[in-house]
Amino acid sequence: MIEVLPWVVERALAACDGPILVYFLLINTSYLVLMIAASVDFASHLRRRTWVDRDAAAASPMVPGVSLIVPAYNEQSGIVSSVESLLSLRHPRHEVIVVDDGSTDDTFAALVRRFELVGVDREIAADVPVQADILGVYVPDDGRTRLTVVRKANSGKTDAVNTGINASTQQLVAIVDADSVLDPDALIAVTEPFVVDPVRTVATGGVIRAANGCTILDGRVVGVSAPRQWLARIQVVEYLRAFLMGRSGWSRLNGLILISGAFGVFRRDVLVDIGGLDHGSLGEDFELVMRIHRLFKERGEDYRVSFVSEPVCWTEVPVTRAVLRRQRMRWHRGLWEVLWKYRGMVLNPRYGRIGMVVLPWFWLFELAAPALELGGLVLVLAAFALGLLDTTYAVLFMAVAYGYAAVINLSALAIEELTFHRYPRWKDLAICMVASLLENFGYRQMTALWRCQGAWDGIRGAKAVWGTMTRTGFHLTPGRDAAERHSATEPDPATEPDPATGPDAAAGPQAERDARSTREAAA
């Protein structure tokens, strides 16, 4: 067997050496094209910003109303500060709808104490299907605060969002994670496409950035700096490339098929038409946008899904390998499931550039990339170890695969610095530059392996397990790193309470009485 190995490696390298270089050249060049498209989009956005009066927009009755849906499960550590932050966003007409998905901690009690919630006899619409029973609807006792809290039996985030859609009263629906922080003008900015083109615009998304290392005070990011952990620092660069450059580029090319579940805005009537989020999808945000594309393409209607590059949603990124591994496995499994579900759209002229360009790109350069990259790297290393690798080819491989990628990362940092300048200190910029180089040595290969595992789990139909996700609340004192705050947990669906037997299963009118008792005790 050992004697056969050099022959196998030599034959494999002879067959794949050219395709390996071509693949890396194509994938990095495609990133460069997206970056150029994003740069054009940024320039256009900055020109518009010089004449857009957001102060006037914040008071204009012509701006469409927005219902902010916040699905919450065991978010006691930060739910109050998160809701306060959302309520204080600049917008002439927005409401916050918190859907308590059967929390077993003090999430609801914290909201009751802070906002003096009282139960109301309000019937929630049934515009999109939901699975769990509603246990009660609560509003602040002052009658002015634009907050509604819906308690329901536990059934997962997707069902919580669908419940929020039913409870919403505004023309637009924004889906926001309970542990995220929005810039003060985020709603004004992200709804601008609906004002400029109200007929065609059906959905918009905003930028997601890493909050680790930032100074957060009273639910606002008041100071931006690089994280303290290198694992988080590398993710800062990743988020710039993927969320800012990649999605801005696709939006400019009218090919955006993914809006992050942490910050997306949709027309409510469109969400009702497509039946809300899919309960059976692990990548529910991706699946939602794909369903919107399919619906409008099959109807033959002109529409637009946009990405707005300036309103920022700040969220924490994992700081341990265990948590990062679970996240990347889940993301790639969700990618596989959605691409497989919509495989009939691939290379189908009926779906325009989505079917002919975007989906093939995602199959080849997103889904298959980890396996092809690891396979090529293993083959090259094996050939090097056996003395079969030509020095010229080795240098060319490193230049195309990793040198080109480092140039892409550094270019993304440069464009960000020239346009939005989020990191004011040269030290932070230097840290990000080092992180963009370090990403190619260990981190990239590690996440590629995890992504392969996630896709394999999806292919073989393994049970989806979220695991325990370390998270924290956004109410720290200035100067502390976000990763050093006290932690909460994100549930594993396998261990969540059953809707029929969970602690809130027998609630209803009693839940309203309990809320009043809790508020009286707090007072």
Side-chain angles (χ1 to χ4, degrees), residues 179-180 208-214 216 225-240 243 313-321 323-325 327-328 331 423 443 469-472 474 481-485:
D179 62 337
S180 298
I208 310 296
R209 287 183 183 257
N212 305 56
C214 297
I216 302 172
S225 59
R228 297 180 183 179
Q229 301 87 356
W230 280 106
L231 194 65
R233 288 170 173 175
I234 293 174
Q235 290 175 78
V236 167
V237 178
E238 256 192 325
Y239 275 47
L240 277 177
F243 287 101
C313 174
W314 299 90
T315 189
E316 292 180 70
V317 299
V319 294
T320 66
R321 283 186 295 176
V323 175
L324 182 63
R325 175 179 178 269
Q327 181 196 68
R328 297 312 165 92
W331 283 2
Y423 292 94
Y443 178 89
M469 188 74 71
T470 302
R471 299 193 305 177
T472 58
F474 288 113
D481 192 285
E484 294 178 350
R485 289 170 278 160

Side-chain angles (χ1 to χ4, degrees), residues 195-212:
V195 177
V196 174
D197 192 355
V199 176
R200 292 195 310 158
T201 303
V202 297
T204 62
V207 180
I208 310 296
R209 287 183 183 257
N212 305 56

